[in-house]
Amino acid sequence: MFKGILKDQSVQTSIGVIFILLIFGSFILPEWMSNNFMYGMSRGLAVLGLMILWRTNLVSFGHALYYGFGAYAVALCQKFFGVTDILLRLLIAVAAAGLLGFALGFILRKYREIFFAMLSLAFSMVLYGLLAKAEFLGSTDGMSISPSTFFGTELGRIALFNFIGLVVILAIIFAQAYLRSSLGHLTTAIQDNEIRVEYLGYSVEKAIHIKYVISACLAGGAGGLMAASLGQVDPDSMVLWSVSGELVFVTIMSGLGNILAPFIGAVIFEFIRTYAFEWAPQAWQMIIGGTLLAIIFFSPGGLWSLFQKLNFLRKKNNE
Amino acid sequence: MNNNFILQTKDLQKSFSGIIAAENINISVKEGEIIGIIGANGAGKTVFVNMITGYLKPTSGKIHFLGNDITGIKPREATHIGVCRSFQVSQVFMTMTVKQNLMIAMSLSKKKGGQLLLPLEDEKLSKECDKILDLYKIKKQGDLIVSTLSQGMRKLLDIAMAVVGNPKVLLLDEPTSGVSVEEKFGIMDIVISALKKSGTTVLFVEHDMEIVERYVDRVIAFYQGQVICDDTPKKALKNKKVIQYVLGS
Ligand SMILES: Nc1ncnc2c1ncn2[C@@H]1O[C@H](COP(=O)(O)OP(=O)(O)OP(=O)(O)O)[C@@H](O)[C@H]1O
Ligand SMILES: [Mg+2]
């Protein structure tokens, strides 16, 4: 599956860009900026998950379900088992979300379009309701997460940042290996013609289920890493429908064109949000809404297609 | 049921909210036979193909394949046991290239070897794919997006995608409709001779009687959901009912 994956051009570009982000974030930029990189890269994992689903025309309006589930899995394992190791935290978050995705996948794989989107949303609202009511999980106040460790030593902010960068690189490699495989190409195939896929002998539902679990794992990992970097989990910022909405927003903003796009998009989103909040604390949502409108009107393929256009123009000018 | 036949139907019937589209269909097909299915528009040819390949569930009756009851199986199960098909309106992946289409079909047919997880653009697969595209005379179009192709070429791709699954029984629904008159025979020569070589049993729906005469061992004629004639092509095309209800003169 991974044969020759490091020769893949978009994997190479991605690794290069993430390295640059890591170097700038670790040594050069002020803390608030590198924090934005860190949050953006973490949440980018969830956006990558949405992008993978979106390529089959499946939009989940409830992906915060897995994002929040991953985050709360980390919180629970800390509370009950004292788990603080970052590797374990990541694995727990991914596994918990993956299992939940596997279970719900049996239902969701039967639905398409708006029904799929809304059913996802419904499931996320159920989790939100449970978490907001559960007192042993801190209800709406949530729970705090202690600093992560790595084989017993406490992990500083910069170390965590670099760990997240590495996870992102691994996720990109995995996702690209999946998308370029025949199984991954079924993505487009299913979108084009489900009947034909069935007649080629493959279960469309199974292909969607696999994709759904991958997507859930990515979102869960994002939630786990976010819990670790924020030091806090709570239903409003992890599971509420608006969080799902933001993830969809960033997916549209990033575009589906490239495996790196979700991370660039998510980092840019963090900056837009920071600045919008600073300039217009009362109306920051308006700025974010305006950004989305601008993208839909002027670059419907997302930021990625904008980059491509710029690149194209530059090449043309050079000729 | 008789085990000498690869495919047999028993009193197959299909009705759509009262309208009968297939009735009393009793057909026995021997291994390796090439059968032409003829009939006017709306005679029930496609419904028949759809029932055999699991797209439609018969209202009543049975379908046996190699002695096993396969009535009402799912399309992908039909493919797994070796009953494959092409479509009257080609069912291909419109936004992908010709080559990607065929390579997906090829890797799905080999999914046991872990081919599904290999890159689609695998070198070995790509070479095999080129050979097949060459055979079907669509190699030049390999890198074109399917939606830009003519109907005829889509048809060929559709057939190629069904054939790479190595079916035991292949049902082709109007394989040559949309293919230009000059190309029709060339293509059928290739397809049929390849299928004969591999001993594949073929049932194909066809409106062009020249094609029927030239390639089939046996003709099954449909009229209003019923089989009105099941005979050698020579006799069938002279059959009174066939002349009246199928050839329309
Ligand atoms: N899904 C369906 N629902 C209702 N009626 C149907 C359906 N499919 C087919 N029919 C009817 O069954 C009859 C047989 O249709 P069928 O498509 O098998 O004809 P055909 O012989 O393939 O004709 P053609 O040469 O036009 O393809 C027609 O009267 C058609 O209207
Ligand atoms: Mg028909």
Side-chain angles (χ1 to χ4, degrees), chain A residues 114-125:
Chain A
I114 192 71
F115 305 101
F116 180 89
M118 285 300 152
L119 199 58
S120 313
L121 178 63
F123 282 125
S124 77
M125 296 298 275

Side-chain angles (χ1 to χ4, degrees), chain A residues 1-3 177-178 180-206, chain B residues 53-55 75-76 79-80 85-87 91-96 100 104-105 107-108 111 115-121 158 161-162:
Chain A
M1 181 177 179
F2 295 103
K3 204 177 125 210
Y178 165 71
R180 70 169 188 167
S181 72
S182 302
L183 186 61
H185 273 89
L186 273 184
T187 300
T188 327
I190 289 170
Q191 191 182 328
D192 275 2
N193 197 330
E194 292 198 10
I195 293 171
R196 175 46 102 177
V197 173
E198 286 279 335
Y199 270 110
L200 290 176
Y202 203 81
S203 157
V204 168
E205 287 188 1
K206 186 168 149 196
Chain B
T53 57
Y55 189 71
R76 66 167 178 281
T79 303
H80 288 160
R85 70 174 296 181
S86 76
F87 297 82
Q91 301 289 332
V92 286
F93 307 128
M94 286 292 197
T95 67
M96 305 173 91
Q100 284 176 329
I104 286 211
S107 47
L108 285 181
K111 65 177 171 219
Q115 185 79 41
L116 273 182
L117 292 179
L118 289 182
L120 183 65
E121 322 279 329
D158 192 318
M161 286 169 78

Side-chain angles (χ1 to χ4, degrees), chain A residues 11-265:
Chain A
V11 167
Q12 285 177 349
T13 317
S14 304
I15 293 179
V17 171
I18 301 288
F19 263 120
I20 292 172
L21 286 188
L22 287 181
I23 290 169
F24 271 79
S26 305
F27 303 114
I28 298 166
L29 298 176
E31 187 173 327
W32 73 270
M33 279 195 168
S34 70
N35 276 344
N36 273 349
F37 282 173
M38 178 154 73
Y39 303 149
M41 287 195 304
S42 305
R43 281 154 61 95
L45 289 170
V47 178
L48 177 62
L50 273 184
M51 172 184 127
I52 287 177
L53 272 181
W54 209 307
R55 288 215 181 162
T56 316
N57 253 351
L58 294 170
V59 181
S60 164
F61 281 151
H63 240 45
L65 171 65
Y66 301 107
Y67 181 70
F69 202 71
Y72 267 85
V74 166
L76 277 173
C77 283
Q78 177 189 322
K79 183 171 165 141
F80 291 112
F81 307 109
V83 174
T84 56
D85 191 274
I86 189 67
L87 260 182
L88 278 179
R89 281 182 162 171
L90 177 66
L91 285 180
I92 287 165
V94 170
L99 281 174
L100 182 63
F102 178 70
L104 296 183
F106 284 102
I107 303 172
L108 278 151
R109 68 189 203 174
K110 297 197 187 311
Y111 294 87
R112 305 287 183 274
E113 296 166 14
I114 192 71
F115 305 101
F116 180 89
M118 285 300 152
L119 199 58
S120 313
L121 178 63
F123 282 125
S124 77
M125 296 298 275
V126 170
L127 181 68
Y128 177 83
L130 290 176
L131 291 175
K133 286 271 166 355
E135 267 172 36
F136 76 107
L137 296 173
S139 313
T140 47
D141 291 338
M143 298 158 77
S144 67
I145 306 286
S146 60
S148 299
T149 56
F150 187 63
F151 292 104
T153 47
E154 193 171 313
L155 214 58
R157 192 182 64 86
I158 297 293
L160 179 63
F161 173 50
N162 281 278
F163 176 80
I164 291 174
L166 264 159
V167 173
V168 166
I169 288 175
L170 291 179
I172 285 179
I173 290 176
F174 174 82
Q176 184 68 6
Y178 165 71
L179 287 175
R180 70 169 188 167
S181 72
S182 302
L183 186 61
H185 273 89
L186 273 184
T187 300
T188 327
I190 289 170
Q191 191 182 328
D192 275 2
N193 197 330
E194 292 198 10
I195 293 171
R196 175 46 102 177
V197 173
E198 286 279 335
Y199 270 110
L200 290 176
Y202 203 81
S203 157
V204 168
E205 287 188 1
K206 186 168 149 196
I208 288 179
H209 202 162
I210 292 174
K211 180 181 290 282
Y212 191 70
V213 172
I214 292 176
S215 173
C217 286
L218 286 166
L225 293 177
M226 220 35 200
S229 39
L230 287 173
Q232 157 84 22
V233 298
D234 64 85
D236 279 341
S237 66
M238 295 277 181
V239 198
L240 192 59
W241 55 270
S242 61
V243 180
S244 300
E246 261 171 35
L247 293 175
V248 172
F249 175 108
V250 181
T251 314
I252 297 176
M253 187 172 92
S254 313
L256 309 178
N258 187 284
I259 202 87
L260 179 61
F263 299 95
I264 304 284

Side-chain angles (χ1 to χ4, degrees), chain B residues 16 19 21 39-48 56 88 174 207:
Chain B
F16 297 102
I19 302 166
N41 294 110
K45 306 178 297 291
T46 299
V47 167
F48 173 73
L56 288 175
Q88 184 166 355
E174 306 199 8
H207 282 292

Side-chain angles (χ1 to χ4, degrees), chain B:
Chain B
M1 288 251 156
N2 193 326
N3 274 337
N4 293 331
F5 295 109
I6 188 163
L7 187 72
Q8 255 185 323
T9 66
K10 180 110 189 26
D11 296 333
L12 215 52
Q13 182 176 341
K14 178 76 195 175
S15 51
F16 297 102
S17 49
I19 302 166
I20 293 173
E23 201 178 5
N24 288 329
I25 299 187
N26 291 289
I27 285 171
S28 301
V29 180
K30 278 195 240 132
E31 197 170 344
E33 267 188 309
I34 311 272
I35 295 179
I37 297 175
I38 61 173
N41 294 110
K45 306 178 297 291
T46 299
V47 167
F48 173 73
V49 171
N50 282 345
M51 286 193 291
I52 304 290
T53 57
Y55 189 71
L56 288 175
K57 206 175 166 165
T59 313
S60 66
K62 293 269 174 247
I63 303 166
H64 284 240
F65 172 72
L66 289 172
N68 301 314
D69 186 353
I70 60 159
T71 320
I73 55 169
K74 293 198 181 95
R76 66 167 178 281
E77 292 164 347
T79 303
H80 288 160
I81 59 172
V83 179
C84 298
R85 70 174 296 181
S86 76
F87 297 82
Q88 184 166 355
V89 178
S90 32
Q91 301 289 332
V92 286
F93 307 128
M94 286 292 197
T95 67
M96 305 173 91
T97 67
V98 171
K99 212 168 157 178
Q100 284 176 329
N101 265 268
L102 193 60
M103 289 193 2
I104 286 211
M106 293 168 75
S107 47
L108 285 181
S109 74
K110 297 181 180 173
K111 65 177 171 219
K112 291 223 174 64
Q115 185 79 41
L116 273 182
L117 292 179
L118 289 182
L120 183 65
E121 322 279 329
D122 181 55
E123 238 177 85
K124 215 174 114 214
L125 194 68
S126 170
K127 272 192 195 139
E128 273 178 59
C129 179
D130 281 341
K131 265 191 223 156
I132 298 172
L133 289 178
D134 201 20
L135 192 71
Y136 284 83
K137 307 213 158 103
I138 41 176
K139 186 163 168 210
K140 253 195 277 162
Q141 288 79 14
D143 292 324
L144 294 182
I145 300 289
V146 171
S147 60
T148 64
L149 297 187
S150 69
Q151 282 293 343
M153 283 180 189
R154 283 184 213 165
K155 250 328 181 344
L156 293 176
L157 177 60
D158 192 318
I159 298 171
M161 286 169 78
V163 174
V164 294
N166 289 323
K168 294 196 181 81
V169 173
L170 181 63
L171 296 103
L172 304 171
D173 199 349
E174 306 199 8
T176 65
S177 72
V179 179
S180 71
V181 184
E182 308 91 69
E183 281 175 325
K184 260 188 187 179
F185 288 96
I187 293 301
M188 284 306 277
D189 275 347
I190 294 163
V191 175
I192 297 290
S193 68
L195 290 169
K196 270 195 174 148
K197 210 182 276 170
S198 59
T200 312
T201 309
V202 185
L203 290 89
F204 71 98
V205 178
E206 185 57 66
H207 282 292
D208 185 333
M209 293 308 141
E210 277 182 63
I211 299 256
V212 171
E213 268 189 295
R214 179 132 143 204
Y215 298 103
V216 310
D217 307 324
R218 186 175 146 198
V219 170
I220 297 176
F222 279 77
Y223 176 67
Q224 292 190 344
Q226 301 200 19
V227 175
I228 53 166
C229 177
D230 182 347
D231 215 328
T232 60
K234 255 196 194 137
K235 287 189 194 154
L237 295 182
K238 290 199 186 107
N239 181 296
K240 264 194 204 139
K241 280 194 202 157
V242 172
I243 292 174
Q244 186 178 354
Y245 297 125
V246 180
L247 307 176
S249 51

